[in-house]
């Protein structure tokens, strides 16, 4: 873990420079999706978007676990293209497709750097129910909280790397003010400290990248529908058209 943080703590300018899969970015020429009303599958609790659970691969899945269309998103919390997709796609994806019961949405974190690691650990340790809400809030405020990491002096980052590895993630999060972000959203200080020091949570977070490697994920955001990679998927219009086609 120490090597992971050390290798990833290069200039945050590289983190902010961009990300993307094979077809990252928005495509304004994407084909419009069919607007035919979707057949509704009744949710046992009245709302499929309130049904969130962790999967065997470590992701969090929202919606009908038996939905005929299974969407998987690989994304990094420090990826600008991922934040852009969240801004345009998360609400219609939830309210139109997941709520219908026709589509389930599994979000799998791909950890790219120390900022990402700290944010993911704090988000995931809250459990399934608030995961998507917190993830969307981090995307919506990405430039603000990432700015805190870019302002951490290099000397401080080097000092943190000399600390015991179980203390490094917490030290990085506090140096950048990420703990304050979560306190402002109702997370108690004791819970923040516990999450950042959780070594099992740390290992399971790092292991998420092994799943991405297994699935040959090359960048973020990357989407799969029923196990098949989707091209131009960083654009909501293009992804929606693919979802409609999969629903049939």
């Amino acid at each position: 873990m120490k090597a992971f943080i050390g290798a990833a703590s290069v200039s945050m300018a590289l983190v902010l420079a961009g990300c993307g899969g094979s077809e990252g970015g928005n495509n304004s020429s994407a084909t419009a999706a069919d607007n035919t009303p979707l057949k509704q599958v009744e949710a046992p609790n009245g709302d499929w978007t309130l049904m969130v659970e962790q999967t065997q691969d470590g992701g969090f899945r929202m919606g009908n676990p038996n939905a005929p269309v299974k969407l998987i998103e690989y994304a990094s919390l420090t990826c600008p293209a991922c934040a852009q997709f969240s801004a345009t796609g998360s609400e219609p994806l939830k309210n139109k497709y997941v709520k219908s019961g026709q589509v389930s949405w599994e979000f799998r974190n791909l950890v790219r750097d120390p900022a990402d690691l700290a944010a993911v650990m704090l988000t995931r340790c809250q459990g399934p129910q608030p995961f998507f809400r917190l993830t969307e809030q981090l995307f919506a405020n990405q430039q603000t909280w990432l700015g805190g990491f870019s302002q951490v002096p290099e000397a401080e980052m080097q000092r943190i790397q000399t600390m015991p590895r179980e203390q490094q993630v917490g030290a990085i999060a506090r140096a950048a003010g990420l703990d304050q972000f979560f306190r402002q959203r109702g997370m108690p200080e004791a819970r923040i400290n516990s999450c950042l020091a959780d070594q099992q949570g740390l290992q399971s977070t790092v292991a998420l990248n092994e799943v991405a490697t297994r699935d040959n994920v090359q960048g973020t955001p990357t989407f799969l529908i029923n196990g098949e990679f989707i091209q131009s998927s960083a654009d909501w219009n293009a992804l929606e058209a693919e979802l409609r086609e999969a629903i049939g």
Side-chain angles (χ1 to χ4, degrees):
M1 186 58 224
K2 187 171 182 179
F4 174 81
I5 292 181
S9 63
V10 293
S11 171
M12 286 301 297
L14 295 177
V15 175
L16 296 170
C19 51
S22 58
E23 296 290 339
N26 279 353
N27 177 7
S28 59
S29 64
T31 303
D34 180 5
N35 287 319
T36 304
L38 294 171
K39 178 182 177 181
Q40 302 296 301
V41 178
E42 185 177 356
N45 63 350
D47 186 347
W48 286 116
T49 65
L50 299 179
M51 184 173 290
V52 182
E53 59 184 357
Q54 189 168 359
T55 69
Q56 290 183 344
D57 286 315
F60 285 98
R61 180 179 59 218
M62 176 191 294
N64 179 4
N66 298 313
V69 176
K70 294 175 172 57
L71 175 69
I72 295 174
E73 175 183 3
Y74 280 95
S76 163
L77 294 179
T78 59
C79 165
C82 301
Q84 186 176 14
F85 176 84
S86 179
T88 58
S90 63
E91 287 304 314
L93 177 54
K94 288 187 300 183
N95 294 325
K96 187 174 182 180
Y97 291 92
V98 176
K99 273 193 174 182
S100 74
Q102 297 283 348
V103 176
S104 65
W105 174 21
E106 181 179 347
F107 189 102
R108 297 180 183 174
N109 295 98
L110 197 159
V111 181
R112 300 196 307 151
D113 49 73
D116 200 356
L117 178 61
V120 169
M121 286 187 66
L122 286 167
T123 303
R124 290 176 61 85
C125 79
Q126 301 276 31
Q129 200 57 45
F131 175 80
F132 282 90
R133 171 177 56 82
L134 289 171
T135 296
E136 289 169 15
Q137 290 176 356
L138 283 164
F139 278 139
N141 295 278
Q142 186 187 76
Q143 291 186 350
T144 299
W145 64 268
L146 266 185
F149 283 90
S150 66
Q151 294 171 17
V152 177
E154 181 62 27
E156 177 63 9
M157 291 296 293
Q158 291 177 357
R159 185 190 71 82
I160 290 172
Q161 290 178 50
T162 67
M163 300 171 63
R165 68 176 187 176
E166 63 270 14
Q167 299 177 16
Q168 290 184 33
V169 179
I172 291 173
R174 295 183 187 92
L178 189 58
D179 55 333
Q180 181 180 356
F181 180 94
F182 281 85
R183 279 199 304 272
Q184 291 172 343
R185 285 153 182 82
M187 191 173 185
E189 183 70 24
R191 182 62 175 161
I192 292 173
N193 293 337
S194 174
C195 290
L196 291 172
D198 181 5
Q199 292 305 290
Q200 184 175 352
L202 174 61
Q203 295 304 321
S204 63
T205 299
V206 174
L208 295 170
N209 284 17
E210 297 175 7
V211 177
T213 299
R214 180 202 69 190
D215 287 350
N216 197 32
V217 174
Q218 301 297 315
T220 56
T222 291
F223 292 87
L224 294 86
I225 294 179
N226 291 341
E228 298 294 328
F229 284 97
I230 303 303
Q231 300 299 314
S232 302
S233 58
D235 174 68
W236 165 244
N237 291 331
L239 181 61
E240 184 178 20
E242 296 283 357
L243 289 173
R244 279 285 186 167
E245 182 176 350
I247 291 170

